[in-house]
Amino acid sequence: MNKSIIALCLTGCAVATPAFADEAASKFDFGGDVRARYEYKDNWPDKGKATAGSAYEDYLRFRTRVWGKADLNDNLSGFIRLSNEFRRYDNSPASKDKNRFPDELCLDNLYGEWKDDSVGVNIGRQDIKKGAGRVIADGTPGDGSRSEHFDAAIVTLEIAEKSSVDFIGTWNHYRDDLTIGHTAQGVYDLTKIKSGDPYSKMDEGGLMAYATVNEFKSLPFETYWIWKTEEDFYSKEDRYPGRNFHTVGLRTTPKLTDWLSSEVEAAYQFGKVDSAEGIASRDICAEMLYAGLTAAPADVMWSPSLTLALLYLSGDEDSYYKTKDGSTDTGWNPVFNRTSWISEIGAGMYDEARWSNLLFPHAEVGIKPAKGHSATFQVGPMYAVEKDNDATDDYKGLLAKVKYGFPLPSLGSIKFNGAVSGELLDYGDYYTAAENTATFLRFEVSAKF
């Protein structure tokens, strides 16, 4: 979405406001949030390799956001949100001068929404997450947690009393020109897989149809089709071909008894990787499967739960980026979900959280000891489906995660919350590592008003 489109949206809102003012009284609302995080990383995997280093880094990151919403009448509304994230690095020589205060102010969301009883239209810059977020969650993975937006248009049709289908079109540019200020000693490359010089220059686009069907209480399900294009992109030394591919999938969340529920999601990918100088074109054939079973007995103190689950992302022995013989690419592509949804350390195994080639059986225990308090503990071994990156073994290691979230005292209308989380990966023989374990620690305080 370029500046002219944004200007058109703003002009349209300005023109439409008086036209609808007579039909119903306009309502305006605003708010914001501030999030402060301290993060510590030690002995992390090298991205896209079967090796791990021994360096550590720690830093503070501050994200601030303000938003405003205008309901012009019962059918038409507009939303805007501005955001900023700056950091302070204590031990990271390569990054210590990047993203310093005040950094840049970005237009995080700006969209207009119209809806009636059976049709909805949403156009502009917006966050989109579907289902569990395994395929649609973040349109701007290159800037980390600063933003998740898509430049998109969505048409929603109600197809039954409790069911709907979303038709989505999106085009996400690698560079954001809708900012004020300049980030120190670096850039936000919003779609990057590998760092370019300074941009990778990879735009991403997609067309999607996502249906949610809740007519059957015992068997709710979602089904989707996504076509995605990734343009050619550059590292600091090389050019890599783009790709066009389809992802079709099904997700269901049946409740088996009053205390036992399940979730299954399966998806298949097919399409084509482009050719480039010295790189052959190749077909795409990949799969994803998640299966989980959750026990959560009702009316039990602390609301305990236990989830047993398996995640499978198909892999490929060959490089994700290039091959000489044009053999089929069988590695899973996370589509629009290059996030740390499984693990912070796990995301660090890949270039910009490009999840693939993973078998992860795991168990998670959760409790809620008091109102607003929740704690989870997850553990499981991680395996490479295929021994890529010249690894001699497929066992990546044993991952353990813990998180505790809790409320803090409020200050007037400002609500405060805190969270502590940590991860540990005990390396397996897939990795050649200087140390036996990788660690991650995060302390977080957030305020919402």
Side-chain angles (χ1 to χ4, degrees), residues 113-227:
E113 183 176 19
W114 178 87
K115 59 183 177 181
D116 64 12
D117 293 338
S118 60
V119 180
V121 179
N122 194 317
I123 300 175
R125 177 167 290 185
Q126 56 194 291
D127 294 350
I128 305 173
K129 183 176 181 179
K130 293 297 180 183
R134 297 188 183 98
V135 291
I136 306 173
D138 190 348
T140 55
D143 68 349
S145 63
R146 186 184 75 147
S147 72
E148 299 175 342
H149 61 250
F150 294 75
D151 289 336
I154 305 176
V155 176
T156 302
L157 302 179
E158 301 294 331
I159 55 177
E161 183 179 357
K162 299 179 181 179
S163 304
S164 63
V165 58
D166 289 323
F167 297 98
I168 306 170
T170 184
W171 185 263
N172 303 310
H173 189 41
Y174 66 86
R175 189 177 69 189
D176 187 5
D177 295 320
L178 302 174
T179 62
I180 299 174
H182 179 67
T183 183
Q185 301 294 318
V187 299
Y188 288 108
D189 189 346
L190 298 183
T191 61
K192 72 175 180 181
I193 296 178
K194 283 181 172 289
S195 295
D197 189 22
Y199 293 100
S200 62
K201 300 183 179 181
M202 183 182 77
D203 288 345
E204 296 184 330
L207 297 174
M208 305 171 241
Y210 199 103
T212 302
V213 180
N214 293 317
E215 303 305 309
F216 314 105
K217 186 176 180 180
S218 60
L219 190 64
F221 68 91
E222 301 161 0
T223 185
Y224 51 86
W225 162 80
I226 304 167
W227 169 78

Side-chain angles (χ1 to χ4, degrees), residues 269-342:
Q269 290 178 343
F270 60 96
K272 201 84 172 179
V273 180
D274 299 335
S275 61
E277 184 177 352
I279 303 174
S281 176
R282 49 186 166 151
D283 293 328
I284 294 172
C285 179
E287 306 90 25
M288 179 268 286
L289 173 67
Y290 173 87
L293 188 65
T294 298
D299 301 323
V300 176
M301 187 174 62
W302 289 16
S303 302
S305 64
L306 171 64
T307 299
L308 302 177
L310 173 71
L311 175 68
Y312 167 81
L313 308 176
S314 62
D316 196 319
E317 293 181 354
D318 210 342
S319 168
Y320 172 82
Y321 303 104
K322 55 186 178 181
T323 181
K324 294 181 179 180
D325 59 6
S327 58
T328 299
D329 186 341
T330 56
W332 174 254
N333 185 306
V335 199
F336 291 109
N337 182 30
R338 287 195 278 128
T339 68
S340 55
W341 61 292
I342 302 171

Side-chain angles (χ1 to χ4, degrees), residues 15 34 45 85 88 96 103 111 197 229-230 379 384 401 406 433:
V15 172
V34 179
E85 186 179 83
R88 176 185 172 183
K96 66 179 182 178
D103 204 60
Y111 61 84
D197 189 22
T229 179
E230 299 175 356
V379 63
K401 299 169 46 181
F406 51 91

